[in-house]
Amino acid sequence: MGKKQNAALNVQRKNRRKIIKVTAQVVVLAVVAVLLANAIFDFRTYKEPDRAAWRQDQGFIALSYFGVGRTGTSKLVSKSQLDAQLKALYEQGYTTISQQDIIDYYRNGKKLPDKALYLSFEDGRNDSALFAQPLLEKYNYKATFLSYADKMGNSERKFLQPKDMLKMTRTGYWELGTNGNRLTYINIFDSEGRYIGVKDEGELTSKSNVEYYNHYLMDFIRDENMIPLENRAEMEERIQADYEAMNKVYTESLGYVPGTYMIMHANALGSGMNQLVADANTEQIEQLFGMNFNREGMAFNSQDSDLYNLTRVQPAPYWSTNHLLMKLHKDQGQSMQFVRGDKQQADKWELLGGAVEFSDNRFVVTSPPSQAGTVYLKVAKRLT
Protein backbone atom coordinates (compact mmCIF):
# COMPACT_ATOMS: atom_id res chain seq x y z
CA MET A 1 0.00 0.00 0.00
CA GLY A 2 2.82 2.45 0.85
CA LYS A 3 4.47 2.01 -2.56
CA LYS A 4 1.15 2.52 -4.36
CA GLN A 5 0.44 5.71 -2.36
CA ASN A 6 3.90 7.10 -3.14
CA ALA A 7 3.44 6.32 -6.82
CA ALA A 8 0.06 8.08 -6.82
CA LEU A 9 1.55 11.12 -5.09
CA ASN A 10 4.38 11.25 -7.65
CA VAL A 11 1.83 11.18 -10.49
CA GLN A 12 -0.14 14.00 -8.83
CA ARG A 13 3.03 16.10 -8.43
CA LYS A 14 3.98 15.54 -12.10
CA ASN A 15 0.46 16.46 -13.22
CA ARG A 16 0.56 19.58 -11.04
CA ARG A 17 3.92 20.64 -12.48
CA LYS A 18 2.63 19.97 -15.98
CA ILE A 19 -0.46 22.11 -15.35
CA ILE A 20 1.66 24.95 -13.93
CA LYS A 21 4.05 24.73 -16.89
CA VAL A 22 1.25 24.71 -19.46
CA THR A 23 -0.50 27.60 -17.67
CA ALA A 24 2.72 29.64 -17.68
CA GLN A 25 3.21 28.95 -21.38
CA VAL A 26 -0.36 30.03 -22.13
CA VAL A 27 0.16 33.27 -20.17
CA VAL A 28 3.43 33.99 -22.02
CA LEU A 29 1.79 33.30 -25.38
CA ALA A 30 -1.13 35.56 -24.47
CA VAL A 31 1.22 38.41 -23.53
CA VAL A 32 3.18 37.96 -26.77
CA ALA A 33 -0.08 37.94 -28.74
CA VAL A 34 -1.21 41.19 -27.11
CA LEU A 35 2.15 42.87 -27.77
CA LEU A 36 2.12 41.67 -31.37
CA ALA A 37 -1.44 42.85 -31.87
CA ASN A 38 -0.54 46.23 -30.46
CA ALA A 39 2.41 46.48 -32.81
CA ILE A 40 0.33 45.53 -35.84
CA PHE A 41 -3.01 47.14 -35.11
CA ASP A 42 -1.99 49.94 -32.70
CA PHE A 43 -4.56 49.81 -29.89
CA ARG A 44 -3.41 53.13 -28.40
CA THR A 45 -6.18 55.66 -28.47
CA TYR A 46 -6.52 59.40 -28.05
CA LYS A 47 -7.57 60.68 -24.64
CA GLU A 48 -10.28 63.30 -25.03
CA PRO A 49 -9.73 66.59 -23.18
CA ASP A 50 -12.03 67.82 -20.41
CA ARG A 51 -14.13 70.24 -22.46
CA ALA A 52 -16.16 71.23 -19.40
CA ALA A 53 -13.07 73.07 -18.14
CA TRP A 54 -12.68 75.18 -21.29
CA ARG A 55 -13.33 78.89 -20.73
CA GLN A 56 -11.63 80.77 -23.59
CA ASP A 57 -13.56 82.52 -26.38
CA GLN A 58 -10.91 84.64 -28.16
CA GLY A 59 -10.07 82.13 -30.89
CA PHE A 60 -7.52 79.52 -31.98
CA ILE A 61 -4.39 79.05 -34.06
CA ALA A 62 -4.21 76.68 -37.04
CA LEU A 63 -1.01 74.99 -38.23
CA SER A 64 -0.92 72.93 -41.40
CA TYR A 65 2.17 71.02 -42.52
CA PHE A 66 2.56 70.22 -46.21
CA GLY A 67 4.38 67.01 -45.38
CA VAL A 68 6.76 65.22 -43.00
CA GLY A 69 9.80 63.19 -43.99
CA ARG A 70 12.43 61.16 -42.21
CA THR A 71 14.83 64.01 -42.99
CA GLY A 72 13.95 67.51 -44.11
CA THR A 73 13.68 68.53 -47.78
CA SER A 74 12.77 71.74 -49.57
CA LYS A 75 9.10 70.80 -49.11
CA LEU A 76 8.95 68.44 -46.12
CA VAL A 77 9.78 69.14 -42.47
CA SER A 78 11.83 66.43 -40.79
CA LYS A 79 10.27 64.27 -38.11
CA SER A 80 12.76 65.67 -35.55
CA GLN A 81 11.84 69.22 -36.55
CA LEU A 82 8.13 68.46 -36.18
CA ASP A 83 8.81 66.86 -32.80
CA ALA A 84 10.67 69.96 -31.59
CA GLN A 85 7.88 72.29 -32.69
CA LEU A 86 5.05 70.22 -31.22
CA LYS A 87 7.06 69.76 -28.01
CA ALA A 88 7.46 73.54 -27.66
CA LEU A 89 3.71 74.06 -28.13
CA TYR A 90 2.82 71.21 -25.77
CA GLU A 91 5.11 72.54 -23.01
CA GLN A 92 3.44 75.94 -23.29
CA GLY A 93 0.03 74.44 -22.74
CA TYR A 94 -1.43 74.24 -26.25
CA THR A 95 -4.32 71.79 -26.56
CA THR A 96 -5.46 70.47 -29.93
CA ILE A 97 -9.09 70.97 -30.91
CA SER A 98 -11.27 68.97 -33.28
CA GLN A 99 -13.33 69.98 -36.28
CA GLN A 100 -16.47 69.71 -34.16
CA ASP A 101 -14.93 71.96 -31.51
CA ILE A 102 -14.48 74.67 -34.16
CA ILE A 103 -18.03 74.25 -35.45
CA ASP A 104 -19.41 74.37 -31.90
CA TYR A 105 -17.34 77.47 -31.17
CA TYR A 106 -18.73 79.45 -34.09
CA ARG A 107 -22.25 78.06 -34.31
CA ASN A 108 -23.11 77.30 -30.71
CA GLY A 109 -20.90 79.69 -28.73
CA LYS A 110 -19.02 76.91 -26.95
CA LYS A 111 -15.67 77.65 -25.34
CA LEU A 112 -12.15 76.61 -26.31
CA PRO A 113 -9.07 75.72 -24.23
CA ASP A 114 -6.88 78.62 -23.09
CA LYS A 115 -4.39 77.86 -25.86
CA ALA A 116 -6.27 76.19 -28.70
CA LEU A 117 -4.45 74.59 -31.64
CA TYR A 118 -5.97 73.12 -34.80
CA LEU A 119 -3.33 70.85 -36.35
CA SER A 120 -3.39 69.38 -39.84
CA PHE A 121 -1.25 67.63 -42.46
CA GLU A 122 -1.94 68.29 -46.13
CA ASP A 123 -1.42 66.44 -49.41
CA GLY A 124 -2.33 62.90 -48.25
CA ARG A 125 1.23 61.58 -48.03
CA ASN A 126 2.08 58.21 -46.46
CA ASP A 127 5.20 59.56 -44.79
CA SER A 128 3.28 62.36 -43.07
CA ALA A 129 1.03 59.83 -41.34
CA LEU A 130 3.93 57.49 -40.56
CA PHE A 131 6.12 60.09 -38.87
CA ALA A 132 3.38 62.22 -37.30
CA GLN A 133 1.50 59.34 -35.64
CA PRO A 134 4.07 58.63 -32.86
CA LEU A 135 4.21 62.36 -32.05
CA LEU A 136 0.44 62.64 -31.78
CA GLU A 137 0.56 59.73 -29.33
CA LYS A 138 3.50 61.30 -27.46
CA TYR A 139 1.67 64.61 -26.87
CA ASN A 140 -1.90 63.29 -27.02
CA TYR A 141 -2.60 65.59 -29.97
CA LYS A 142 -5.37 65.30 -32.53
CA ALA A 143 -4.81 66.25 -36.17
CA THR A 144 -6.65 66.37 -39.48
CA PHE A 145 -5.22 64.38 -42.38
CA LEU A 146 -6.04 65.93 -45.76
CA SER A 147 -6.06 64.17 -49.11
CA TYR A 148 -7.04 64.62 -52.75
CA ALA A 149 -10.08 62.69 -53.95
CA ASP A 150 -8.39 61.52 -57.16
CA LYS A 151 -5.71 59.77 -55.08
CA MET A 152 -8.31 57.47 -53.49
CA GLY A 153 -7.58 54.03 -54.97
CA ASN A 154 -4.70 55.53 -56.94
CA SER A 155 -1.69 53.31 -57.54
CA GLU A 156 0.77 56.01 -56.46
CA ARG A 157 2.30 54.54 -53.31
CA LYS A 158 3.23 57.83 -51.67
CA PHE A 159 -0.45 58.56 -50.99
CA LEU A 160 -2.41 57.00 -48.13
CA GLN A 161 -5.42 54.93 -49.13
CA PRO A 162 -9.00 54.89 -47.70
CA LYS A 163 -8.67 51.72 -45.59
CA ASP A 164 -5.58 53.17 -43.91
CA MET A 165 -7.29 56.51 -43.30
CA LEU A 166 -10.28 54.82 -41.69
CA LYS A 167 -7.98 52.78 -39.47
CA MET A 168 -6.21 55.99 -38.39
CA THR A 169 -9.47 57.68 -37.41
CA ARG A 170 -10.41 54.77 -35.14
CA THR A 171 -7.47 55.62 -32.84
CA GLY A 172 -9.00 59.05 -32.18
CA TYR A 173 -5.76 60.86 -33.04
CA TRP A 174 -6.92 61.63 -36.59
CA GLU A 175 -9.78 63.24 -38.43
CA LEU A 176 -10.05 63.54 -42.19
CA GLY A 177 -10.11 66.55 -44.47
CA THR A 178 -9.51 67.31 -48.14
CA ASN A 179 -7.52 69.67 -50.34
CA GLY A 180 -9.98 69.04 -53.17
CA ASN A 181 -10.67 66.69 -56.03
CA ARG A 182 -7.42 67.02 -57.96
CA LEU A 183 -4.52 69.26 -58.86
CA THR A 184 -5.25 70.56 -62.36
CA TYR A 185 -3.91 73.81 -63.77
CA ILE A 186 -5.61 76.14 -66.25
CA ASN A 187 -4.68 79.21 -68.31
CA ILE A 188 -1.01 78.24 -68.37
CA PHE A 189 1.59 80.37 -70.13
CA ASP A 190 5.26 79.46 -70.31
CA SER A 191 8.13 81.84 -69.60
CA GLU A 192 8.21 82.93 -73.26
CA GLY A 193 4.52 83.84 -73.25
CA ARG A 194 3.30 80.80 -75.15
CA TYR A 195 -0.18 79.56 -74.26
CA ILE A 196 -0.23 75.99 -72.92
CA GLY A 197 -3.86 75.78 -71.72
CA VAL A 198 -5.03 73.10 -69.29
CA LYS A 199 -2.76 70.45 -67.77
CA ASP A 200 -3.18 67.89 -64.99
CA GLU A 201 -0.59 67.60 -62.23
CA GLY A 202 1.07 64.64 -63.94
CA GLU A 203 1.45 66.61 -67.17
CA LEU A 204 2.97 69.65 -65.45
CA THR A 205 5.52 68.10 -63.13
CA SER A 206 7.70 71.21 -63.12
CA LYS A 207 6.70 74.87 -63.12
CA SER A 208 10.24 76.19 -63.61
CA ASN A 209 9.38 77.25 -67.17
CA VAL A 210 5.88 78.51 -66.33
CA GLU A 211 5.21 82.23 -66.20
CA TYR A 212 1.52 82.10 -65.23
CA TYR A 213 -1.11 79.53 -64.28
CA ASN A 214 -4.21 79.18 -62.15
CA HIS A 215 -5.92 76.32 -60.36
CA TYR A 216 -8.87 74.49 -61.89
CA LEU A 217 -11.55 76.04 -59.66
CA MET A 218 -10.13 79.55 -59.53
CA ASP A 219 -11.13 81.09 -62.88
CA PHE A 220 -12.87 80.75 -66.20
CA ILE A 221 -10.91 78.63 -68.66
CA ARG A 222 -9.41 81.20 -71.05
CA ASP A 223 -7.68 81.33 -74.43
CA GLU A 224 -4.29 82.75 -75.38
CA ASN A 225 -5.73 86.26 -75.17
CA MET A 226 -7.20 85.54 -71.72
CA ILE A 227 -10.72 85.70 -73.16
CA PRO A 228 -13.07 83.13 -71.52
CA LEU A 229 -13.68 79.97 -73.56
CA GLU A 230 -16.81 79.21 -71.52
CA ASN A 231 -19.84 81.22 -70.53
CA ARG A 232 -21.12 81.58 -66.98
CA ALA A 233 -23.39 78.52 -67.13
CA GLU A 234 -20.59 76.35 -68.51
CA MET A 235 -18.18 77.56 -65.84
CA GLU A 236 -20.69 76.84 -63.06
CA GLU A 237 -21.44 73.40 -64.51
CA ARG A 238 -17.71 72.56 -64.68
CA ILE A 239 -17.07 73.66 -61.09
CA GLN A 240 -20.15 71.87 -59.79
CA ALA A 241 -19.06 68.67 -61.57
CA ASP A 242 -15.68 68.80 -59.79
CA TYR A 243 -17.33 69.02 -56.37
CA GLU A 244 -19.80 66.27 -57.30
CA ALA A 245 -16.89 64.04 -58.31
CA MET A 246 -15.24 64.73 -54.95
CA ASN A 247 -18.48 63.92 -53.15
CA LYS A 248 -18.89 60.63 -55.04
CA VAL A 249 -15.31 59.45 -54.50
CA TYR A 250 -15.21 60.14 -50.78
CA THR A 251 -18.69 58.75 -50.13
CA GLU A 252 -17.84 55.52 -51.92
CA SER A 253 -14.33 55.10 -50.48
CA LEU A 254 -14.78 56.40 -46.92
CA GLY A 255 -18.54 56.35 -46.39
CA TYR A 256 -18.67 60.13 -45.87
CA VAL A 257 -17.21 63.41 -47.10
CA PRO A 258 -14.44 64.78 -44.82
CA GLY A 259 -15.57 67.79 -42.80
CA THR A 260 -12.63 70.15 -43.42
CA TYR A 261 -11.79 71.67 -46.79
CA MET A 262 -8.55 73.54 -47.53
CA ILE A 263 -9.18 74.90 -50.98
CA MET A 264 -6.37 75.01 -53.52
CA HIS A 265 -5.11 77.51 -53.94
CA ALA A 266 -5.28 79.62 -50.81
CA ASN A 267 -5.77 83.39 -50.63
CA ALA A 268 -7.76 83.60 -53.87
CA LEU A 269 -11.41 82.83 -53.18
CA GLY A 270 -13.13 86.13 -52.49
CA SER A 271 -9.85 88.09 -52.75
CA GLY A 272 -9.65 89.69 -56.17
CA MET A 273 -10.67 86.71 -58.28
CA ASN A 274 -13.68 86.76 -60.59
CA GLN A 275 -16.76 87.10 -58.39
CA LEU A 276 -18.87 84.74 -60.49
CA VAL A 277 -16.27 81.99 -60.03
CA ALA A 278 -16.01 82.75 -56.32
CA ASP A 279 -19.80 82.50 -55.96
CA ALA A 280 -19.88 79.16 -57.82
CA ASN A 281 -17.27 77.74 -55.41
CA THR A 282 -18.90 79.16 -52.30
CA GLU A 283 -22.25 77.59 -53.10
CA GLN A 284 -20.70 74.13 -53.46
CA ILE A 285 -18.41 74.45 -50.43
CA GLU A 286 -21.18 75.44 -48.05
CA GLN A 287 -23.30 72.49 -49.20
CA LEU A 288 -20.54 69.92 -48.89
CA PHE A 289 -18.26 70.89 -45.97
CA GLY A 290 -18.48 72.00 -42.37
CA MET A 291 -15.65 74.53 -42.74
CA ASN A 292 -13.15 75.88 -45.23
CA PHE A 293 -9.62 77.10 -44.56
CA ASN A 294 -9.63 79.57 -47.40
CA ARG A 295 -6.47 81.48 -46.48
CA GLU A 296 -2.84 80.75 -45.65
CA GLY A 297 -0.16 82.90 -44.03
CA MET A 298 -1.89 83.94 -40.80
CA ALA A 299 -2.29 81.47 -37.93
CA PHE A 300 -4.95 83.08 -35.76
CA ASN A 301 -8.72 82.75 -36.19
CA SER A 302 -10.70 85.09 -33.96
CA GLN A 303 -14.22 84.98 -32.59
CA ASP A 304 -15.31 87.13 -35.54
CA SER A 305 -13.87 84.81 -38.21
CA ASP A 306 -16.07 82.98 -40.71
CA LEU A 307 -16.29 79.16 -40.75
CA TYR A 308 -15.80 79.28 -44.53
CA ASN A 309 -12.99 81.81 -44.51
CA LEU A 310 -10.60 80.40 -41.90
CA THR A 311 -6.84 80.82 -42.07
CA ARG A 312 -3.82 78.66 -41.27
CA VAL A 313 -0.06 78.97 -41.41
CA GLN A 314 2.14 76.37 -43.13
CA PRO A 315 5.51 76.16 -41.31
CA ALA A 316 8.27 76.02 -43.92
CA PRO A 317 11.00 73.36 -43.68
CA TYR A 318 13.63 76.03 -43.04
CA TRP A 319 11.78 77.44 -40.01
CA SER A 320 13.43 76.92 -36.65
CA THR A 321 11.23 76.25 -33.64
CA ASN A 322 11.67 79.84 -32.48
CA HIS A 323 10.73 81.11 -35.94
CA LEU A 324 7.39 79.32 -35.58
CA LEU A 325 6.90 80.60 -32.04
CA MET A 326 7.72 84.15 -33.12
CA LYS A 327 5.20 83.87 -35.96
CA LEU A 328 2.49 82.66 -33.57
CA HIS A 329 3.35 85.42 -31.12
CA LYS A 330 2.93 87.99 -33.89
CA ASP A 331 -0.35 86.51 -35.19
CA GLN A 332 -2.00 85.73 -31.87
CA GLY A 333 -0.44 88.25 -29.51
CA GLN A 334 0.17 85.71 -26.74
CA SER A 335 3.54 85.61 -24.98
CA MET A 336 5.85 82.75 -25.92
CA GLN A 337 8.57 80.91 -24.05
CA PHE A 338 11.26 80.63 -26.69
CA VAL A 339 13.57 77.62 -26.94
CA ARG A 340 17.17 78.17 -25.72
CA GLY A 341 18.69 74.77 -26.52
CA ASP A 342 22.11 73.98 -25.03
CA LYS A 343 22.09 75.89 -21.70
CA GLN A 344 25.88 75.77 -21.28
CA GLN A 345 26.36 77.45 -24.64
CA ALA A 346 23.45 79.86 -24.11
CA ASP A 347 24.92 81.12 -20.81
CA LYS A 348 27.96 82.45 -22.69
CA TRP A 349 25.85 84.87 -24.72
CA GLU A 350 23.71 87.90 -23.97
CA LEU A 351 20.45 88.26 -25.88
CA LEU A 352 19.55 91.85 -26.77
CA GLY A 353 16.60 91.24 -29.08
CA GLY A 354 14.56 88.37 -30.50
CA ALA A 355 15.22 84.74 -29.59
CA VAL A 356 18.20 82.43 -29.96
CA GLU A 357 18.59 78.63 -29.89
CA PHE A 358 21.94 76.89 -29.35
CA SER A 359 22.68 73.42 -30.66
CA ASP A 360 25.86 71.55 -31.69
CA ASN A 361 28.13 74.61 -31.39
CA ARG A 362 25.78 76.59 -33.62
CA PHE A 363 23.04 79.04 -32.86
CA VAL A 364 20.02 80.40 -34.71
CA VAL A 365 18.86 83.94 -34.02
CA THR A 366 15.20 84.77 -34.66
CA SER A 367 14.35 88.43 -34.95
CA PRO A 368 11.06 89.99 -33.83
CA PRO A 369 8.80 91.29 -36.64
CA SER A 370 10.40 94.34 -38.34
CA GLN A 371 13.17 94.42 -35.74
CA ALA A 372 16.69 93.09 -35.31
CA GLY A 373 17.63 89.97 -33.41
CA THR A 374 20.93 90.56 -31.60
CA VAL A 375 23.23 88.51 -29.36
CA TYR A 376 26.76 89.19 -28.18
CA LEU A 377 29.41 87.07 -26.51
CA LYS A 378 29.86 87.88 -22.84
CA VAL A 379 33.32 89.15 -21.88
CA ALA A 380 35.02 87.00 -19.27
CA LYS A 381 36.09 88.84 -16.11
CA ARG A 382 39.82 89.30 -15.70
CA LEU A 383 41.47 87.48 -12.87
CA THR A 384 43.16 89.83 -10.41
Side-chain angles (χ1 to χ4, degrees), residues 43-284:
F43 286 156
R44 284 168 290 190
T45 56
Y46 173 73
K47 182 180 178 182
E48 294 288 343
D50 179 14
R51 290 176 172 84
W54 292 359
R55 295 288 182 268
Q56 186 261 126
D57 63 0
Q58 300 303 304
F60 67 96
I61 60 170
L63 297 186
S64 188
Y65 291 87
F66 171 77
V68 187
R70 187 180 300 278
T71 57
T73 70
S74 60
K75 291 186 176 181
L76 308 180
V77 300
S78 69
K79 61 178 183 178
S80 60
Q81 185 179 7
L82 177 64
D83 189 7
Q85 293 178 359
L86 294 185
K87 179 175 183 286
L89 294 171
Y90 176 81
E91 289 180 345
Q92 295 185 62
Y94 278 89
T95 300
T96 51
I97 55 176
S98 69
Q99 295 174 24
Q100 190 60 52
D101 291 329
I102 295 174
I103 291 172
D104 286 341
Y105 174 64
Y106 285 112
R107 290 187 176 168
N108 304 317
K110 291 192 176 181
K111 305 299 183 182
L112 295 174
D114 288 344
K115 294 183 177 181
L117 164 65
Y118 180 76
L119 180 63
S120 57
F121 296 86
E122 301 188 45
D123 211 45
R125 300 175 60 93
N126 268 309
D127 43 10
S128 293
L130 175 66
F131 296 125
Q133 173 74 31
L135 301 180
L136 299 185
E137 295 173 1
K138 182 177 180 180
Y139 302 114
N140 194 51
Y141 271 1
K142 182 186 287 286
T144 291
F145 186 83
L146 297 114
S147 60
Y148 285 98
D150 75 337
K151 304 302 181 186
M152 301 291 97
N154 190 299
S155 59
E156 294 180 71
R157 293 184 178 180
K158 75 174 185 178
F159 296 106
L160 210 62
Q161 293 306 308
K163 61 180 177 61
D164 302 307
M165 294 181 192
L166 292 172
K167 177 184 170 183
M168 286 164 56
T169 62
R170 287 194 289 270
T171 68
Y173 292 105
W174 294 99
E175 297 180 292
L176 300 182
T178 178
N179 285 125
N181 184 38
R182 56 183 169 164
L183 270 179
T184 298
Y185 307 101
I186 62 175
N187 307 332
I188 308 168
F189 290 83
D190 68 16
S191 58
E192 296 181 10
R194 289 184 295 239
Y195 175 74
I196 298 174
V198 179
K199 295 289 182 183
D200 286 329
E201 176 189 20
E203 300 173 297
L204 194 70
T205 54
S206 173
K207 302 186 189 72
S208 60
N209 196 40
V210 171
E211 180 68 22
Y212 176 84
Y213 70 92
N214 213 329
H215 286 260
Y216 188 73
L217 300 176
M218 295 291 104
D219 198 1
F220 284 89
I221 293 178
R222 302 175 182 271
D223 65 14
E224 63 273 16
N225 297 309
M226 291 301 282
I227 297 172
L229 291 170
E230 54 189 357
N231 60 34
R232 177 179 178 177
E234 290 168 336
M235 174 272 293
E236 290 175 344
E237 183 178 355
R238 172 175 60 86
I239 288 177
Q240 180 178 348
D242 212 57
Y243 284 97
E244 287 177 348
M246 197 183 337
N247 186 0
K248 184 175 186 294
V249 168
Y250 280 121
T251 301
E252 291 179 353
S253 60
L254 297 175
Y256 63 94
V257 178
T260 292
Y261 186 37
M262 290 190 181
I263 191 169
M264 297 298 289
H265 63 95
N267 304 320
L269 188 63
S271 300
M273 68 180 289
N274 185 284
Q275 191 59 49
L276 295 176
V277 179
D279 291 343
N281 276 278
T282 299
E283 180 181 358
Q284 299 299 319

